[in-house]
């Protein structure tokens, strides 16, 4: 028998892959605008929770476009980023509290400011973008509630080619194939995460109640320019990689944290294996062909 799960964000980049990989084991009840549930509307959320037998909620819905969220900052609590990422999450916490369900919340490495060498779950968040700030407040709303909460911070998720939207890997592949050149950031360190690993880990977290914060991220942190080289070589593309610094590349765009090397030791201690970027790329290359 499949386990029922109330889920938001199933139509997104991450959510579609989670559903594809886990549909045989879990029965996902889709809470989305398509099923007439806007998570910013507390009564719609409450009604959906009351009508569901699921004991667990997987909350992935968010406003995720970092630059669009920054533009939203001027509207404060009235803006879309706040409404979905903070108010929406608060509504879910409230409804889960009323109906005795636990929550798994997908959060982000952007809760950190990127000034430390490595980040563990014990490090204090200090978001530097409006997106990161609203996601952090979402975390806070959940932790302040009386519900069992698991916060899974993911980072630069990538997957096979799909018709939902391109991840950063496929955006770079397309630029390299078309323009035969691409920029590679020299002073930006990140921790890419294979979405199939997130799905495998979620199968565990959906079955076992493991409250707390976890960095559900890949096993390698690297400068963006190194990642671009790995993508080019794995996909046998011929493109020139032009080194560029963050200041020039992100001019006039939302400020990004500089060094986002997240440690995943806590996840590994649960026996969950997370691939390095090199290993993950090999997998998606096979899936793409
Ligand atoms: N992508 C990344 O680089 C990244 C990095 C770190 C963490 N994350 C986190 O991972 C999670 C999934 O990200 P993603 O990239 O898969 O997201 P995405 O592709 O941008 O999709 C966003 C999802 O949120 C839903 N949604 C937005 N507003 C809603 C509302 N008012 N009511 C109900 N549903 C709403 C969307 O539904 P519709 O299709 O109906 O609009 C869609 O399913 C997010 O929580 C994000 O913060 C993402």
């Amino acid at each position: 028998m499949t386990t029922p799960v109330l889920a938001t964000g199933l139509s997104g980049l991450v959510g579609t892959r989670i559903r594809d990989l886990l549909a045989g084991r879990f029965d996902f009840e889709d809470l989305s605008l398509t099923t007439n549930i806007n998570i910013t509307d507390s009564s719609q959320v409450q009604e959906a929770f009351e009508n569901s037998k699921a004991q667990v909620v997987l909350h992935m819905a968010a406003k995720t476009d970092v630059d669009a969220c920054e533009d939203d900052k001027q509207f404060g609590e009235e803006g879309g980023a706040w409404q979905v990422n903070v108010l929406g999450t608060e509504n879910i916490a409230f409804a889960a509290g009323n109906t005795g369900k636990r929550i798994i919340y997908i959060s982000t490495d952007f809760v950190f400011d990127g000034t430390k060498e490595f980040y563990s779950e014990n490090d204090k968040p200090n978001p530097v973008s409006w997106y990161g700030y609203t996601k952090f407040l979402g975390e806070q709303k959940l932790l302040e509630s009386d519900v069992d909460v698991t916060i899974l911070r993911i980072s630069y998720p990538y997957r096979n080619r799909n018709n939902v939207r391109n991840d950063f890997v496929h955006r770079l592949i397309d630029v390299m194939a078309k323009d035969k050149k691409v920029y590679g950031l020299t002073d930006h360190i990140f921790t890419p995460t294979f979405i199939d690993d997130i799905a495998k880990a979620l199968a565990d977290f959906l079955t076992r109640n493991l409250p707390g914060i976890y960095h559900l991220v890949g096993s390698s942190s690297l400068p963006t320019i190194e990642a671009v080289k790995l993508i080019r070589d794995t996909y046998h593309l011929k493109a020139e990689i032009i080194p560029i610094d963050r200041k020039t590349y992100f001019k006039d765009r939302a400020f990004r944290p500089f060094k986002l090397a997240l440690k995943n030791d806590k996840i590994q201690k649960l026996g969950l294996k997370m691939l390095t970027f090199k290993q993950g790329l090999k997998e998606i290359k096979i899936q793409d062909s």
Side-chain angles (χ1 to χ4, degrees):
M1 219 181 74
T2 49
T3 310
V5 175
L6 262 180
T8 71
L10 282 174
S11 58
L13 176 74
V14 177
T16 44
R17 187 67 181 154
I18 302 298
R19 175 141 69 174
D20 282 354
L21 291 174
L22 299 185
R25 289 185 59 187
F26 301 92
D27 180 14
F28 291 105
E29 296 172 28
D30 184 10
L31 299 189
S32 70
L33 302 177
T34 336
T35 57
N36 294 320
I37 311 285
N38 186 333
I39 60 166
T40 66
D41 183 322
S42 59
S43 55
Q44 287 178 12
V45 176
Q46 181 63 33
E47 198 183 328
F49 275 48
E50 280 170 6
N51 290 334
S52 171
K53 285 198 176 64
Q55 292 298 299
V56 57
V57 182
L58 174 58
H59 175 30
M60 297 180 284
K63 286 273 174 208
T64 58
D65 182 320
V66 177
D67 294 313
C69 285
E70 206 61 34
D71 292 341
D72 233 23
K73 185 177 176 179
Q74 59 183 310
F75 304 113
E77 296 188 15
E78 301 307 317
W82 185 288
Q83 289 283 311
V84 176
N85 298 354
V86 186
L87 179 65
T89 303
E90 201 174 9
N91 289 340
I92 283 168
F94 190 68
N98 287 341
T99 53
K101 304 185 197 301
R102 69 181 175 93
I103 299 176
I104 298 174
Y105 174 61
I106 302 298
S107 190
T108 169
D109 52 340
F110 271 45
V111 299
F112 295 118
D113 60 15
T115 55
K116 271 193 76 183
E117 202 62 30
F118 288 103
Y119 285 98
S120 80
E121 290 81 354
N122 296 327
D123 286 308
K124 207 170 164 259
N126 181 32
V128 292
S129 64
W130 191 244
Y131 165 69
Y133 181 59
T134 55
K135 288 292 294 184
F136 170 62
L137 288 185
E139 289 189 0
Q140 292 297 105
K141 296 286 178 195
L142 291 168
L143 293 171
E144 285 162 11
S145 75
D146 53 7
V147 175
D148 273 354
V149 173
T150 305
I151 293 173
L152 302 175
R153 292 188 185 132
I154 66 169
S155 168
Y156 290 86
Y158 62 94
R159 56 173 288 187
N160 58 345
R161 195 177 278 283
N162 63 88
N163 54 18
V164 180
R165 72 179 169 89
N166 271 346
D167 57 5
F168 76 91
V169 172
H170 290 89
R171 279 203 302 271
L172 286 163
I173 291 172
D174 291 350
V175 170
M176 283 192 261
K178 183 169 166 274
D179 299 342
K180 308 290 175 222
K181 63 178 182 188
V182 69
Y183 288 113
L185 285 164
T186 51
D187 56 353
H188 180 77
I189 291 167
F190 74 140
T191 310
T193 311
F194 186 31
I195 298 179
D196 294 22
D197 286 344
I198 297 175
K200 280 184 207 146
L202 270 175
D204 220 45
F205 280 101
L206 286 168
T207 325
R208 292 200 284 164
N209 185 9
L210 297 164
I213 299 177
Y214 296 83
H215 288 174
L216 184 55
V217 297
S219 290
S220 59
S221 302
L222 66 171
T224 312
I225 192 162
E226 295 305 322
V228 176
K229 280 182 196 157
L230 280 174
I231 296 167
R232 181 189 63 183
D233 296 347
T234 307
Y235 277 80
H236 307 299
L237 297 162
K238 296 208 177 342
E240 181 195 357
I241 298 171
I242 306 161
I244 192 166
D245 62 23
R246 287 157 31 90
K247 217 171 148 190
T248 318
Y249 187 78
F250 289 122
K251 190 171 169 286
D252 302 328
R253 291 177 59 186
F255 185 78
R256 261 83 171 165
F258 146 66
K259 213 187 274 172
L260 286 175
L262 268 65
K263 277 176 173 283
N264 65 10
D265 304 21
K266 193 172 168 187
I267 277 291
Q268 303 243 24
K269 278 192 191 128
L270 292 177
L272 296 167
K273 189 170 159 43
M274 304 298 288
L275 297 187
T276 63
F277 188 51
K278 196 172 177 181
Q279 293 168 329
L281 273 181
K282 275 192 190 148
E283 287 294 322
I284 60 166
K285 168 87 180 357
I286 295 166
Q287 293 178 2
D288 281 350
S289 56

